[in-house]
Amino acid sequence: MTDLLTALVSGPFETPEWCSFLGLLRTMTGAEFATLVLQPPGRALDEGLQLVSGDVAPAELSRMYRMYVAFGDVNSRNWPEDGKAYSLEDLLRFDRPYREEYYREVLDVTGITDAWQIRVCEPKGVAAFLSVAGKTGRVGESAPELLQSIAPALQSSVRGYVAAKAARLEALLTSEAVRRLQYGWVLLEQDGYVMASDPFGEAFLANSDVLGRNNSGRLTVSPIKLEREIMKYLGDLAGPQSRPRALTLRTDPWLDMLL
């Protein structure tokens, strides 16, 4: 169980995501394949993240998704209780009659004879459907209890994954806006040594006729009078009465610095 939970927590950092967790889950439940579907609210089924471990003829399954349910919202299903394991018979009953034909063809193509599924939902509304299924008999008797026991950890893992994806998107949008403004940053130590920079700031240091960096990594500024002024401001910023300073480094083309 410890290995399973560790794989679940580490899942978002794998490629493909959660592959170790799904493989270990198959082994522990005696299932022939396991699936994890992350479904955003109000979106079509084929817009969610679908992860599969095991031989389930993915091309054929994709065809059936598009034919029957790709434009439906799986979250609209009347799901009785999050975190509870439901059998294949329960799933057929929940979707009858809307997607019964889809389920029947899936069973015919895959040869599934037994399955268990749980659903959890994170705060932003993304639902996670975790399933195990077998083709040659019943899935292990421990499957429903095991799925239910890891439901809280699954919810936490999915919540972190969704939050990270949202943060990454926000960072990409912000960086694009900053790039269009031709804005860059350089992190300076108190004595003027360059500690870090973004790509645009690095371009300023490498190509600007005003800002540069000497062999020891210290900021250089042209003319020298302006360099002395900036170094004095850096010293002031390290003091208790520090405040931001704005400087015009060049007027043609325009280049400003905010310290």
Side-chain angles (χ1 to χ4, degrees):
M1 178 61 82
T2 300
D3 291 343
L4 184 67
L5 292 174
T6 300
L8 176 56
V9 172
S10 304
F13 305 100
E14 293 185 293
T15 303
E17 294 93 337
W18 286 286
C19 58
S20 297
F21 165 72
L22 291 175
L24 188 55
L25 183 65
R26 287 173 55 207
T27 300
M28 294 180 65
T29 59
E32 282 158 295
F33 66 86
T35 63
L36 176 61
V37 175
L38 303 189
Q39 188 65 32
R43 306 302 293 269
L45 254 177
D46 60 350
E47 295 178 19
L49 176 66
Q50 300 174 17
L51 304 168
V52 181
S53 176
D55 181 15
V56 292
E60 184 64 13
L61 285 180
S62 295
R63 180 191 68 78
M64 289 185 288
Y65 266 122
R66 291 193 300 271
M67 179 180 296
Y68 291 108
V69 294
F71 300 103
D73 177 11
V74 71
N75 291 333
S76 65
R77 180 167 63 191
N78 184 26
W79 194 269
E81 183 180 342
D82 276 0
K84 182 178 179 180
Y86 291 97
S87 67
L88 177 60
E89 292 76 13
D90 293 327
L91 298 175
L92 288 168
R93 177 167 48 84
F94 296 158
D95 273 351
R96 189 176 290 124
Y98 305 107
R99 284 189 279 266
E100 184 173 5
E101 187 177 359
Y102 163 72
Y103 274 109
R104 295 300 179 190
E105 185 164 348
V106 167
L107 297 181
D108 288 343
V109 169
T110 62
I112 293 173
T113 56
D114 190 28
W116 289 91
Q117 184 179 90
I118 61 169
R119 187 190 91 152
V120 296
C121 195
E122 59 83 52
K124 290 186 180 295
V126 176
F129 296 85
L130 179 62
S131 310
V132 292
K135 298 189 292 183
T136 58
R138 309 293 292 180
V139 176
E141 293 182 359
S142 64
E145 183 179 352
L146 179 61
L147 290 175
Q148 289 177 173
S149 68
I150 64 175
L154 174 63
Q155 183 185 43
S156 296
S157 183
V158 171
R159 181 177 185 178
Y161 176 79
V162 171
K165 287 292 185 182
R168 181 185 179 192
L169 175 60
E170 183 177 348
L172 287 172
L173 294 174
T174 302
S175 64
E176 176 63 14
V178 167
R179 187 190 67 79
R180 290 176 179 272
L181 291 172
Q182 298 192 43
Y183 167 91
W185 60 263
V186 176
L187 177 65
L188 298 170
E189 189 261 349
Q190 179 180 347
D191 293 327
Y193 288 93
V194 178
M195 308 300 291
S197 63
D198 73 344
F200 213 90
E202 192 65 30
F204 275 127
L205 293 174
N207 305 314
S208 169
D209 57 358
V210 179
L211 300 178
R213 178 170 42 194
N214 63 21
N215 291 335
S216 64
R218 193 169 186 265
L219 180 73
T220 62
V221 187
S222 181
I224 191 65
K225 180 181 177 180
L226 185 58
E227 181 175 310
R228 293 194 190 103
E229 186 177 3
I230 289 175
M231 294 305 166
K232 179 182 181 300
Y233 286 162
L234 284 177
D236 293 343
L237 284 171
Q241 304 298 322
S242 63
R243 64 182 180 85
R245 304 266 187 168
L247 296 168
T248 296
L249 303 181
R250 186 180 61 197
T251 57
D252 187 22
W254 200 277
L255 181 61
D256 284 337
M257 173 182 274
L258 175 67
L259 285 168

